[in-house]
Amino acid sequence: MAGGSSEPGRTVTSKVLAILEAFETSRGALSLTGIAEKSGLPLSTAHRLVTELTAWGFLSREPNGRYQLGIRLWELAQNTGRQLRDAARPYVQDLFSLTGETAHLAVRAGHEVLYIDRVYGSKRVPRASRVGGRLPMHATAVGKVILAYEQDWVRDAYLNRQLERHTAHTHVDPKKLAAELVQIREQGYATTLEEVRLGSCSIAVPVFHTGRIGASIGLVLPTSQAATMTRHLPVLRGIAAQIERATARIPLETLLGSHVAGTD
């Protein structure tokens, strides 16, 4: 990559990351002008860096001149959380097979949950996440479980943040959410009802590692099944126990990756 930066306070690395981040919130391809606008870079700078990223395979250029994330970036990303995903995947598959519902596994990444693996069911449920995607902890069942079992300082810091409201049903009152997290610890599971997407609900249980919260595994179901989703708890808890046994000998930092396990 070219060195030097003509813009004070911005390194070449920060510019490259800004370009890649531009695709995080975009569901489709971006024009060069769109990339420049989203990354806050001059068009000439964006053109130079985008050309280099395309040559490296981190971006790909479509026949119409627009850009998408490249296959090489996807290949590198497969190493993120790979040990956990590889160890847990058979059990996530089992969870889907036993329930027929969309099953997923998530870990904490800063103030969000990062989805490590997911098996989609055939039912029409609004999709809010994907493998490699992130969502706020307070709006998801997997996130609430992780937050409930996290260290006090992590929980307190999170509740002191401005909590994003995704729908009218998202719980954003810090005091009420704190009380909900206490209840989650007491009952051992979390649920949500249309807190991220209308038409869907979710349930999740913790996955521990050497006495610490390591991850969470859960199900996403149509809202019509909200009243009966706790019937899946025995299976969820059984699968969580299987994952705990399968990963017990792998150090937590190795399992999750230091960029995930140590963030706050």
Side-chain angles (χ1 to χ4, degrees), residues 4 9 12 74 125 174 192 225 234 243:
V12 173
W74 178 84
V125 181
T192 64
Q225 297 183 36
I243 296 174

Side-chain angles (χ1 to χ4, degrees), residues 188-218:
Y189 68 92
T191 61
T192 64
L193 178 58
E194 299 189 326
E195 293 191 45
V196 176
R197 288 284 188 276
L198 298 179
S200 69
C201 59
S202 60
I203 183 168
V205 298
V207 177
F208 295 104
H209 186 281
T210 59
R212 293 173 54 187
I213 182 68
S216 178
I217 190 162

Side-chain angles (χ1 to χ4, degrees), residues 138-139 144 164-172 180 192-200 223:
H138 67 279
K144 287 183 181 183
E164 182 182 358
R165 186 186 294 277
H166 283 258
T167 74
H169 305 287
T170 310
H171 301 175
V172 295
E180 183 180 359
T192 64
L193 178 58
E194 299 189 326
E195 293 191 45
V196 176
R197 288 284 188 276
L198 298 179
S200 69
T223 298

Side-chain angles (χ1 to χ4, degrees), residues 2-22 35-43 45-46 48-49:
S5 175
S6 60
E7 297 175 64
R10 296 197 75 177
T11 64
V12 173
T13 301
S14 71
K15 294 174 185 178
V16 169
L17 292 175
I19 288 173
L20 296 177
E21 193 175 44
I35 293 172
E37 290 175 351
K38 283 178 172 289
S39 62
L41 296 173
L43 188 60
T45 302
R48 173 172 57 83
L49 295 177

